[in-house]
Amino acid sequence: MNSRKFLCYSILAISVSLTILVALSIAGQVDAVKATLTGKNKVPPALMDAINKTQLAKEQGKNTGGNDTKILDRLNDLRGLKLNESGNPEKLIGSAGAPANGFYAFIKKWGIQGSSDGQFVYPHGIAIDSSGNVYVADSGNSRIQKFTSDGTFIREWGSGGTGTGDGEFYEPTEIAIDSSGNVYVSDLAINRIQKFTSDGTFIRKWGTQGSGDGQFGYPGPIGIAVDSSGNVYVADSGNSRIQKFTTTGTFITKWGTTETGPGPSGSPTDIAVDSSGNVYVSDITTNRIQKFTSGGTFITHWGTKGSGNGQFDWPIGVAVDSSGNVYVSDLHNNRIQKFTSDGTFITKLGTEGSGNGQLRYPWGVALDSSGRVYVADDHNYRMQVFLWKLNVLNPIEPPIAGFK
């Protein structure tokens, strides 16, 4: 009997119970798993199940019998192992240089290039309402599309071409949703903001081209966000500033200049507001994220041009989750980066390509109440959804069949 068959048969017996598993020396089996990983062989399912259960028992503080401390610590070494693109195991590294406790796994996608329902031509902004419905600014088709959380088409509104009437669009770019479910859309090419009900019924509009209060400079308003009080923030990129309005479009205040030092906004692109009212602005000119109070007082900034962790090459979309973590779509690096509220790098997802979990010029990014990350994969003409997976319950990235 060859060594691999022997290992598999042994593991089937070992998986009967955690007590038997410990008695038969898990430590030796851990070494065997590491050997199979290095050799790119399939990890025996029974051993994988045993590792998962034993790891979970450790995390829950349970004693599985015998001298388990050293054995379980060795099992813990397997946490964070996954296959990289070349098929070799690698560690997921957190911001402090230690193995992270999980990874963002691809879970769903929808959309192809086209103009039919559920198809896209350069999807840009994305927003999610309190019911989990997903709104997408289908810029190339000059329309807004609404989907369920799993990508089922609900409705669309807008017009193709150069629509300038109420409820029509010409390159809609970003979307925001207030606590009442109203939808705000920045219409890049015709320098205005439009407000709709959740079913696309037109409510109001404001903005013209110019540099005065309530006007927007060429190429027009891009990012848009709404705070818990209903105030609307707009990234007026052409005028290098942020403008703040009431929910009805009345001008409140503004901040920013063409300078690039701390505080001013060189070319503000997108905006997100956290539960405390802090405003995060992406700036493609200086490749950084800036953080302000709700009145525009500068707090901090982070980022430089590059491809390393915490660096950017055109940060476009920005979003904030319920814990205050900040997500940035790093357009030319084809990835999403996640940070703490003060700019400390946490993790990232995505590589360049068209496969599942790969990205080509990701633009919009949004979070739902369950922590799912939705990405408008602009040049792949689709939406992709990711979810954080803990290594505690699955120390090696699924699927197991991937280890070949």
Side-chain angles (χ1 to χ4, degrees), residues 100-402:
N101 67 343
F103 59 95
Y104 276 102
F106 164 82
I107 59 173
K108 191 174 185 61
K109 65 180 178 183
W110 73 86
I112 58 173
Q113 184 175 9
S115 57
S116 298
D117 295 346
Q119 298 180 335
F120 304 103
V121 176
Y122 303 129
H124 284 357
I126 182 170
I128 301 174
D129 66 20
S130 59
S131 299
N133 297 309
V134 181
Y135 301 75
V136 181
D138 186 8
S139 185
N141 285 317
S142 296
R143 65 181 178 180
I144 302 301
Q145 294 197 68
K146 180 179 178 179
F147 303 88
T148 64
S149 60
D150 65 358
T152 300
F153 176 82
I154 298 177
R155 62 172 51 87
E156 66 173 298
W157 69 89
S159 64
T162 59
T164 58
D166 294 346
E168 296 180 332
F169 302 109
Y170 184 20
E171 296 184 28
T173 308
E174 290 289 350
I175 308 175
I177 301 174
D178 66 21
S179 58
S180 299
N182 297 308
V183 181
Y184 300 77
V185 181
S186 61
D187 202 349
L188 180 72
I190 48 181
N191 294 285
R192 67 179 180 181
I193 304 299
Q194 294 195 73
K195 179 179 179 180
F196 304 87
T197 65
S198 60
D199 65 0
T201 301
F202 174 81
I203 299 176
R204 63 175 46 87
K205 63 184 177 184
W206 68 88
T208 57
Q209 185 172 346
S211 58
D213 296 344
Q215 294 184 312
F216 305 106
Y218 179 84
I222 302 180
I224 187 168
V226 183
D227 66 20
S228 59
S229 299
N231 298 308
V232 182
Y233 301 78
V234 179
D236 182 10
S237 184
N239 287 317
S240 299
R241 65 185 180 183
I242 303 300
Q243 294 196 68
K244 181 178 178 179
F245 303 88
T246 67
T247 187
T248 59
T250 300
F251 174 82
I252 299 175
T253 190
K254 61 187 175 184
W255 68 88
T257 72
T258 57
E259 299 174 14
T260 58
S265 301
S267 295
T269 308
D270 199 15
I271 308 175
V273 183
D274 67 19
S275 59
S276 298
N278 298 307
V279 181
Y280 300 82
V281 180
S282 60
D283 187 344
I284 60 173
T285 297
T286 57
N287 289 289
R288 64 180 176 177
I289 302 299
Q290 296 197 76
K291 180 179 179 180
F292 303 89
T293 66
S294 60
T297 301
F298 173 78
I299 299 175
T300 189
H301 67 149
W302 67 89
T304 57
K305 183 175 178 59
S307 58
N309 294 340
Q311 295 183 313
F312 304 108
D313 190 355
W314 276 51
I316 292 286
V318 60
V320 183
D321 66 20
S322 59
S323 298
N325 298 308
V326 182
Y327 301 73
V328 181
S329 54
D330 189 3
L331 188 78
H332 291 157
N333 284 322
N334 296 291
R335 64 186 181 181
I336 306 298
Q337 295 195 70
K338 179 180 178 180
F339 303 87
T340 63
S341 60
D342 63 0
T344 301
F345 173 81
I346 298 175
T347 190
K348 60 189 173 184
L349 64 91
T351 58
E352 183 177 3
S354 58
N356 293 342
Q358 293 184 312
L359 305 167
R360 291 183 61 205
Y361 292 174
W363 188 297
V365 58
L367 286 298
D368 69 12
S369 59
S370 299
R372 296 181 182 90
V373 181
Y374 292 74
V375 180
D377 190 3
D378 193 81
H379 277 44
N380 281 322
Y381 311 102
R382 64 185 181 184
M383 298 296 111
Q384 291 202 71
V385 188
F386 301 82
L387 182 63
W388 184 254
K389 298 289 187 180
L390 288 174
N391 286 324
V392 170
L393 296 178
N394 198 357
I396 299 176
E397 183 177 6
I400 299 304

